[in-house]
Amino acid sequence: GEDVEQSLFLSVREGDSSVINCTYTDSSSTYLYWYKQEPGAGLQLLTYIFSNMDMKQDQRLTVLLNKKDKHLSLRIADTQTGDSAIYFCAERKDQAGTALIFGKGTTLSVSS
Amino acid sequence: GAVVSQHPSWVICKSGTSVKIECRSLDFQATTMFWYRQFPKQSLMLMATSNEGSKATYEQGVEKDKFLINHASLTLSTLTVTSAHPEDSSFYICSVPVSGSYNEQFFGPGTRLTVL
C-alpha cells in the first residue's frame, strides 16, 4: 500500500527509553526521516538515515533501519518531558527536491 | 537552517468566503515550495507543488480551482482557499526543499483554518 504506518500513541516515564516504530512503503526510498512536531511550531527535522545504512546514532537518538522488512525505528534515550510531541517518520521516494510521504505520527507523552 | 514563515497562523472565516495563506522563505530562495494539509491525528498529505514562474502541480484529488496557488516570487507562495466550506477546515503547512546531501525540507509553522 501507499501508507507509511506508525503506532499512534506512546507513553513513557521520564528517564526511560522511547522507541517509536514505522513501516514505510517503498524499498527504493533513498532517505528516511524523523520529524518532531510541537504545538504551534513547524515540523523539525530530528534525524535522517540514508538507505544504505543500518543504524545512525546522534546523541540521544538512535535510528535503526531494516530494509528487508521496510521498518524504521527511532529510539530516544533518557526521555525528557520536553520530548513530548508528535513524531513523524517520512520517506522520500523520488529524486531530490520532491515532497515527502509522511506517517500519521506517534504522539509521545512523557510523564515525570 | 532555513526559516519559513506562514501568515496567518490561525484564521476563522464564514462559509463561502475565500482565505489566502502566505508562505515565505525568509533566508532562502525557493523555486519550489510544497503545500500540505494535515487533519487531526492524520499524516501530512501533499496537496500541491508550487513552482515559481509556472503553474502549480496538484496531487490527485485536489481541486485546483478551489485551492489556488500562486508562486509570486522566489520567497513567497500563496494558497487561496476559494469559497471555503466547513470540510476545508484543516491545518495547512508549507515547506521549502533545500538541496543538500539529504535534501531536507524546512517547514512553516502551519495555518489553522476553521470555516464556520
Side-chain angles (χ1 to χ4, degrees), chain B residues 31-94:
Chain B
T31 56
T32 299
M33 293 184 182
F34 298 112
W35 285 97
Y36 293 86
R37 182 174 179 176
Q38 184 182 22
F39 291 103
K41 301 192 189 303
Q42 298 285 327
S43 63
L44 280 74
M45 300 300 296
L46 178 67
M47 298 176 65
T49 302
S50 176
N51 303 301
E52 191 270 337
S54 64
K55 292 182 179 180
T57 305
Y58 290 83
E59 295 300 300
Q60 190 174 8
V62 178
E63 299 176 60
K64 61 181 180 181
D65 294 331
K66 180 166 187 62
F67 298 99
L68 301 179
I69 291 174
N70 181 25
H71 201 128
S73 72
L74 288 172
T75 59
L76 173 64
S77 174
T78 60
L79 169 68
T80 302
V81 183
T82 62
S83 185
H85 291 283
E87 58 264 30
D88 298 324
S89 298
S90 191
F91 196 53
Y92 293 88
I93 303 174
C94 69

Side-chain angles (χ1 to χ4, degrees), chain A residues 8 31 33 35 37 40-45 48 86 88 92 96-105 107, chain B residues 32 34 36 38 41-46 49 91 93 97 99-110:
Chain A
L8 294 181
Y31 286 101
Y33 304 85
Y35 283 87
Q37 185 181 38
L43 274 79
Q44 172 196 357
L45 179 66
Y48 66 95
I86 302 175
F88 291 91
R92 196 194 84 197
T98 57
L100 303 179
I101 299 175
F102 288 86
K104 292 185 178 180
T107 299
Chain B
T32 299
F34 298 112
Y36 293 86
Q38 184 182 22
K41 301 192 189 303
Q42 298 285 327
S43 63
L44 280 74
M45 300 300 296
L46 178 67
T49 302
F91 196 53
I93 303 174
S99 295
S101 60
Y102 51 92
N103 294 293
E104 183 178 347
Q105 291 189 23
F106 291 94
F107 288 83

Side-chain angles (χ1 to χ4, degrees), chain A residues 1-5 23-27 70 91 93 101:
Chain A
E2 287 293 316
D3 292 340
V4 176
E5 300 287 344
T23 303
Y24 60 98
T25 64
D26 192 338
S27 58
K70 291 185 281 189
E91 61 176 333
K93 298 181 68 173
I101 299 175

